[in-house]
Amino acid sequence: MEVQNMPDQSLMQSNMLDSRCGLNDLYPIARLTQKMEDVLNVSGKAASTTTTTATTPSAPVDKDKDKDCPYTIELVQPEDADAVIAMLKTFFFKDEPLNTFLDLGECKELENYSLKPLTDNCSYKAVNKRGDIIGIFLNGLMRRPSPDDVPEKAADSCDHPKFKKILSLMDHVEEKFNIFDHYPNEELILDGKILSVDTNYRGLGIAGRLTERAYEYMRENGINVYHVLCSSHYSARVMEKLGFHEVFSMQFSEYQPDGKVVFKPAHPHVGMRIMAKELELDLDGKQAAPITKL
């Protein structure tokens, strides 16, 4: 679910907000890159969800004027697509470690790929009083494949040479680790794709509240496991702060499809980590027996 990249002043410098957490289907969801102490103020109560028309990323604001409830958490709608991409271009794409290493630049394939999860209706946005989107958490649904299913490789249908390299890495990670093998009793898993927050709104608990709204969706739909693929060191740290734990990791140096290392992003980004969180709920949304893990 990742965030904008900024060096770690106490922990990091971008944000899951700043950040992005590009996950599974989308490459590493996260690139949280903001001061973690600023980004992870997750104690705020959930806001009401009123329908608002989102616009492009906002200009700097005076947070002291708006400290009571400067934003609401709402479902991302299809008509938000342009505003979502505008925000990702400003606060996510350019700072994501793999994008930066490859000097990806403008990439329509990446934009289209980022919007794919919207059809699952489980992505959320933080909207300020002016109607601007100031934070987003794009989520998708992962369904257990049948034994006869032939896995599709995302890279096969990509014509952009640089983005194809990123998708090939994602395909490789999926071949190495199947989340449904790790959770043999789960049929449906929530997959965090990108978590990004406007840097002008750091410290307002937006990442935490977007994540809490995703937990509500899980409870409402009987989903027990939240999955996130992180390519950024900072995003993985943020996910840990939010209660996620590592279920798989792979160093970038281990990925050598043609006998050569493909990705060498700047330190401290050294590899891919899959993070997961189990809600352990029964059908009534109450605490249930521990989830089976292998």
Side-chain angles (χ1 to χ4, degrees):
M1 317 172 196
E2 255 209 346
V3 193
Q4 176 180 343
N5 265 325
M6 295 172 54
D8 167 3
Q9 308 217 343
S10 75
L11 200 230
M12 59 189 178
Q13 268 184 30
S14 233
N15 100 12
M16 215 187 206
L17 261 66
D18 253 334
S19 78
R20 331 87 197 116
C21 262
L23 296 93
N24 207 16
D25 237 328
L26 189 63
Y27 56 104
I29 166 177
R31 300 33 171 162
L32 316 168
T33 53
Q34 220 175 334
K35 292 183 180 178
M36 183 173 281
E37 62 270 24
D38 288 343
V39 176
L40 291 179
N41 174 9
V42 298
S43 60
K45 295 181 180 179
S48 59
T49 56
T50 54
T51 302
T52 307
T53 301
T55 59
T56 55
S58 58
V61 297
D62 182 353
K63 289 185 288 190
D64 289 333
K65 292 181 180 179
D66 272 327
K67 41 170 109 159
D68 290 335
C69 186
Y71 62 90
T72 56
I73 303 299
E74 308 169 12
L75 182 70
V76 175
Q77 304 291 342
E79 55 267 29
D80 294 323
D82 289 345
V84 167
I85 292 300
M87 181 178 176
L88 293 179
K89 284 183 174 181
T90 303
F91 300 107
F92 176 76
F93 292 155
K94 63 185 178 62
D95 295 316
E96 194 281 321
L98 302 184
N99 290 356
T100 300
F101 175 74
L102 294 176
D103 191 20
L104 186 63
E106 192 81 10
C107 180
K108 288 297 181 182
E109 287 87 346
L110 169 58
E111 294 177 20
N112 294 335
Y113 202 53
S114 300
L115 295 174
K116 287 175 64 176
L118 297 190
T119 57
D120 286 332
N121 295 313
C122 51
S123 295
Y124 298 96
K125 60 185 178 180
V127 180
N128 69 12
K129 293 178 180 179
R130 294 193 300 274
D132 304 321
I133 293 180
I134 59 174
I136 52 174
F137 202 159
L138 302 182
N139 298 291
L141 295 173
M142 301 174 70
R143 296 174 174 82
R144 178 181 292 279
S146 69
D148 299 329
D149 284 349
V150 178
E152 295 183 6
K153 293 185 180 295
D156 289 347
S157 58
C158 180
D159 294 326
H160 192 288
K162 291 183 178 179
F163 188 49
K164 188 182 186 73
K165 290 182 179 181
I166 294 175
L167 293 180
S168 294
L169 172 61
M170 298 305 109
D171 289 337
H172 179 75
V173 171
E174 289 189 0
E175 290 175 1
K176 298 276 288 183
F177 179 81
N178 186 331
I179 191 69
F180 288 102
D181 289 342
H182 192 72
Y183 295 101
N185 294 333
E186 303 304 316
E187 296 296 324
L188 187 65
I189 290 175
L190 187 65
D191 186 24
K193 304 289 188 181
I194 293 178
L195 175 57
S196 181
V197 175
D198 185 327
T199 54
N200 297 304
Y201 287 81
R202 290 183 296 183
L204 296 179
I206 295 176
R209 287 180 57 188
L210 287 167
T211 305
E212 284 296 333
R213 182 60 188 90
Y215 294 160
E216 291 178 20
Y217 175 87
M218 294 172 69
R219 296 184 186 100
E220 293 164 359
N221 292 275
I223 299 174
N224 295 314
V225 177
Y226 205 160
H227 163 282
V228 172
L229 172 61
C230 301
S231 61
S232 162
H233 167 78
Y234 301 132
S235 58
R237 293 291 298 272
V238 172
M239 300 317 295
E240 289 177 327
K241 194 72 174 179
L242 290 170
F244 286 68
H245 61 93
E246 180 183 295
V247 293
F248 175 81
S249 65
M250 185 192 77
Q251 300 289 295
F252 291 126
S253 59
E254 299 176 39
Y255 178 62
Q256 303 181 33
D258 296 314
K260 296 181 180 179
V261 176
V262 177
F263 295 99
K264 299 178 182 179
H267 185 79
H269 310 295
V270 298
M272 309 287 289
R273 298 178 67 189
I274 293 179
M275 314 296 291
K277 183 178 177 67
E278 304 91 17
L279 292 194
E280 301 182 359
L281 304 174
D282 63 18
L283 294 179
D284 297 320
K286 300 176 181 178
Q287 195 72 19
I291 295 172
T292 301
K293 295 176 282 185
L294 298 181

